[in-house]
Amino acid sequence: MQEAGLRESLELVQGRLRAAGMAGRALARTIAGEIREGTLAGTVRETIRSKRLAFAGESTYSELLEKRAAEDPDAVFLRFGNQQITRNSLNCHANGVANGLRDMGALAGENAAILCPNCPEYLYVFFGLQKLGMGAVPVNTALVGDGLTYVIDNSESKYLFVHEANLPQVMAIRDRLPRLKDIVIIPGNLRTAPELASAPRLMPRLDEFFASCCERPFEGYGANPDDVALILYTSGTTGLPKGVVYRYRDSNVKLMRLLANLLYSEKDILYTCLPLFHANALLLSTMQALNAGAQLALGTRFSASRFWREVAHYKATTFNTLGAMIPILLKQPPSEDDWRHRVNLVVSAACPADAWRPFERRFGVRLVEAYAAVDGGGFLTLNMGNAPVGSIGKPLGGARYRLLAEDGREAVPGEPGELVVSMSGKTSRKVEYFRNEDATRQKTRDGWLHTGDLLYRDRRGYLYFVGRNTDSMRRRGENVSAYEVESILSKHPDVLECAVFGVPSELGEHDIMAVVVPIEGRAPAPAEIRAFMTDKIARYALPRYIEIVPELPKTETHRVQKNVLKARGVTAATWDAEKAAA
């Protein structure tokens, strides 16, 4: 125990030194950028006046692209398949979108939805909308019917850019979208689709914009700081999606540049296979690659079996992960691809503590754990090796927060509590749900932002993610974290992934149900899975119900749709521990 404690202490010291060195370099690069742009004096004045780090001359997303294109127009920014797209080409195509929209009569302050899989055209459209001062509304490509209608209508989108692959989804609801002025088709590989027979006559195509508008510089209206720049919809796993608003005044491009300088350099290639309608791919990969002067390698979807081959193909040096991606990659059979790559840094969210070091050792990478949310009010933590393994670190920028136990008191060290963040803190950001004042008030009541996330802190103040408040179950008078049960269950050698949730009990409160996806070729028995857990978790937290399934229902961002599983509940295929013991 003494050796283990000494080793952990040495690792913490090394981590603090490394983080301090990286922070110094990041600050130096950020100051150099402010000098180049002639805004250093203004930034110093703003920081002194507001008593917090505040940048002068804040950039919009499109201005960031224009600056990078002007610095080095021929530098490759985007890698997609076998395409290599320069900064200048991306900027010119964005000009084409902005000019084409203006020719159609689009105005600054209007919103436009984007329904499109990952491809270069997605970014052409996004940056084009930003140049025009419009609000971009990325839409989940899996949405159909009522769900798709709701997001497009709720966002008050006047224009819709839709990829040919998604056009049938739109044509099925076209008469339910009275706000739409125009639909623009993004060409793809499905030109034989029957819906397209009349579409070219009725709808403009994005390639027509490029043919006539790309060579013209865009002289924009100029973005109104109070206008909507971006609306990112939540996944809606517990109800209707809510549109998180980013206005032009609070894009925080320069603040994010400080974070980019902390993690990346201009020599990096950031890989993402996550969808661009999600903040991770759009803001934490695309914008951070631009901020760092680096490159972006864009995949189409997460595939565990070919993940490392694709990373190696793009010569990527870093990538981000979400949720269960790390455990799933660890469950893949060992391969020579595990080391045939150039990745040195992985930025993770919710990596299980017991997977951290095995992942680093197997794939030869260094892992940084982070916590943030699109509606998290700017609250951000990082563990860059300067906190214990499994911790998300401490808040950056001295953010004020509390952890509230179920009865409303402050949680003691080691006790889970809901994270609530002060809305008057130095790094706080206003949270707003589009056209949903009730949800906004509920989220930010009493001057505190209620995240819905359960965390605990140790006696040194390091934070640890426990799970969502909605994932908490109550069984026989005890609170049970689904995240904790899932972490134990995932350690079973035959389990690829799982989902744990509460179902109604005849005794009141909840019984615990686990839905399990086995590793390909394995066939674990439910009774054996439960027996595996008996000495690893409290008896009251053991699942009563276990069901083996080929796959879990997920969003496009790999979040398990527990609402779907809860609605389905116990089925004829579900194993019941109490019946088995009777």
Side-chain angles (χ1 to χ4, degrees):
M1 290 293 291
Q2 287 180 336
E3 290 182 4
L6 178 60
R7 185 166 57 250
E8 181 179 338
S9 297
L10 287 172
E11 287 176 350
L12 286 175
V13 171
Q14 291 170 345
R16 289 192 183 103
L17 290 172
R18 183 168 60 242
M22 294 177 70
R25 289 192 297 272
L27 185 58
R29 292 180 63 195
T30 302
I31 290 173
E34 290 296 285
I35 293 173
R36 280 197 308 272
E37 295 178 14
T39 54
L40 180 61
T43 291
V44 172
R45 285 195 300 271
E46 280 296 306
T47 299
I48 293 172
R49 183 188 64 79
S50 60
K51 297 181 181 180
R52 65 182 181 89
L53 180 61
F55 290 95
E58 183 61 273
S59 299
T60 65
Y61 300 128
S62 61
E63 287 170 345
L64 174 61
L65 171 61
E66 290 163 0
K67 288 174 184 177
R68 289 291 182 237
E71 290 169 1
D72 191 349
D74 296 326
V76 171
F77 171 70
L78 177 63
R79 296 170 179 260
F80 180 76
N82 293 320
Q83 299 180 60
Q84 294 190 21
I85 297 166
T86 66
R87 298 177 184 179
N88 186 60
S89 179
L90 175 56
N91 190 49
C92 287
H93 280 90
N95 285 340
V97 173
N99 283 320
L101 274 169
R102 185 165 57 183
D103 292 349
M104 290 170 60
L107 300 173
E110 293 181 322
N111 295 338
I114 311 171
L115 181 64
C116 180
N118 284 5
C119 60
E121 288 79 8
Y122 197 114
L123 295 179
Y124 300 161
V125 172
F126 175 78
F127 283 109
L129 294 172
Q130 299 297 294
K131 284 174 178 281
L132 196 54
M134 297 181 69
V137 184
V139 180
N140 188 325
T141 54
L143 292 178
V144 296
D146 291 346
L148 181 58
T149 304
Y150 172 80
V151 169
I152 296 174
D153 187 63
N154 178 261
S155 64
E156 300 182 357
S157 292
K158 299 292 182 65
Y159 298 86
L160 170 63
F161 288 82
V162 57
H163 192 275
E164 286 183 0
N166 305 104
L167 188 59
Q169 297 157 244
V170 173
M171 299 303 286
I173 61 168
R174 178 65 184 93
D175 58 352
R176 297 163 59 186
L177 301 171
R179 298 180 194 268
L180 280 184
K181 294 180 179 178
D182 275 295
I183 298 174
V184 181
I185 299 174
I186 299 174
N189 299 319
L190 302 178
R191 300 192 179 200
T192 58
E195 289 84 358
L196 295 181
S198 61
R201 179 174 56 83
L202 299 175
M203 304 175 189
R205 297 172 66 91
L206 192 66
D207 46 0
E208 295 171 355
F209 284 15
F210 299 152
S212 61
C213 303
C214 273
E215 297 306 317
R216 283 189 281 152
F218 179 73
E219 297 178 357
Y221 303 117
N224 183 333
D226 293 326
D227 280 345
V228 171
L230 176 64
I231 304 176
L232 290 171
Y233 276 82
T234 61
S235 57
T237 53
T238 57
L240 287 172
K242 296 186 288 290
V244 183
V245 176
Y246 287 73
R247 297 188 182 273
Y248 280 98
R249 64 170 178 261
D250 56 14
S251 59
N252 287 329
V253 167
K254 288 193 173 184
L255 189 61
M256 292 299 290
R257 183 184 302 172
L258 180 60
L259 181 61
N261 289 337
L262 182 65
L263 297 173
Y264 312 117
S265 78
E266 63 277 358
K267 295 180 181 179
D268 276 312
I269 300 176
L270 284 70
Y271 169 78
T272 186
C273 57
L274 298 170
L276 285 168
F277 62 72
H278 190 263
N280 191 293
L282 185 61
L283 301 183
L284 299 185
S285 294
T286 303
M287 296 307 161
Q288 292 300 69
L290 268 181
N291 259 327
Q295 295 182 29
L296 175 72
L298 184 62
T300 54
R301 66 182 182 88
F302 174 64
S303 168
S305 61
R306 67 167 189 263
F307 182 86
W308 290 107
R309 287 197 301 274
E310 184 160 279
V311 165
H313 165 74
Y314 285 120
K315 301 178 181 179
T317 60
T318 181
F319 61 83
N320 298 344
T321 68
L322 286 178
M325 289 171 66
I326 282 180
I328 289 175
L329 289 171
L330 273 174
K331 295 270 185 163
Q332 297 304 301
S335 164
E336 56 190 19
D337 291 330
D338 293 353
W339 282 75
R340 287 185 172 178
H341 60 79
R342 300 183 182 184
V343 173
N344 54 67
L345 175 69
V346 176
V347 181
S348 162
C351 174
D354 62 338
W356 189 309
R357 293 299 189 218
F359 187 80
E360 289 185 324
R361 287 193 294 267
R362 175 173 169 179
F363 299 111
V365 299
R366 182 171 65 87
L367 193 146
V368 167
E369 182 74 3
Y371 170 89
V374 293
D375 55 356
F379 185 86
L380 171 67
T381 72
L382 278 180
N383 179 356
M384 302 181 63
N386 54 336
V389 166
S391 169
I392 61 174
K394 295 181 179 179
L396 299 185
R400 293 173 55 214
Y401 74 95
R402 300 175 67 194
L403 299 181
L404 298 183
E406 192 174 24
D407 57 6
R409 62 179 170 79
E410 188 78 22
V412 300
E415 179 185 17
E418 182 186 8
L419 171 68
V420 297
V421 180
S422 171
M423 296 305 296
S424 60
K426 292 182 179 180
T427 59
S428 63
R429 173 186 173 275
K430 181 181 178 182
V431 173
E432 173 190 357
Y433 294 124
F434 190 73
R435 299 292 189 263
N436 194 336
E437 293 182 3
D438 289 343
T440 301
R441 280 194 299 269
Q442 181 66 17
K443 184 77 172 180
T444 57
R445 60 189 183 275
D446 304 321
W448 293 85
L449 184 145
H450 296 251
T451 66
D453 286 335
L454 294 176
L455 278 64
Y456 75 88
R457 59 176 160 247
D458 62 22
R459 296 192 179 278
R460 291 176 293 178
Y462 293 114
L463 295 170
Y464 299 77
F465 180 78
V466 176
R468 292 288 296 168
N469 222 348
T470 52
D471 276 354
S472 179
M473 303 164 287
R474 192 164 182 87
R475 184 172 187 266
R476 312 288 167 85
E478 300 283 354
N479 288 323
V480 180
S481 163
Y483 182 82
E484 181 183 4
V485 181
E486 289 165 353
S487 297
I488 299 298
L489 186 49
S490 294
K491 294 178 182 178
H492 191 288
D494 294 339
V495 173
L496 178 64
E497 54 182 334
C498 61
V500 173
F501 50 94
V503 294
S505 168
E506 60 267 24
L507 301 177
E509 297 184 337
H510 293 115
D511 277 321
I512 298 173
M513 181 169 179
V515 178
V516 174
V517 177
I519 291 175
E520 187 175 357
R522 311 277 181 87
E528 189 273 325
I529 290 175
R530 193 173 191 270
F532 169 83
M533 302 177 68
T534 53
D535 61 348
K536 300 176 178 64
I537 198 168
R539 184 169 181 79
Y540 62 77
L542 286 171
R544 171 182 173 178
Y545 300 107
I546 299 178
E547 185 171 342
I548 310 296
V549 298
E551 61 181 2
L552 297 173
K554 292 183 178 180
T555 68
E556 293 296 298
T557 52
H558 308 288
R559 290 184 64 185
V560 176
Q561 294 176 303
K562 289 191 177 181
N563 56 330
V564 174
L565 294 173
K566 289 177 182 178
R568 192 185 67 159
V570 177
T571 73
T574 304
W575 178 82
D576 183 347
E578 293 190 5
K579 286 185 178 180

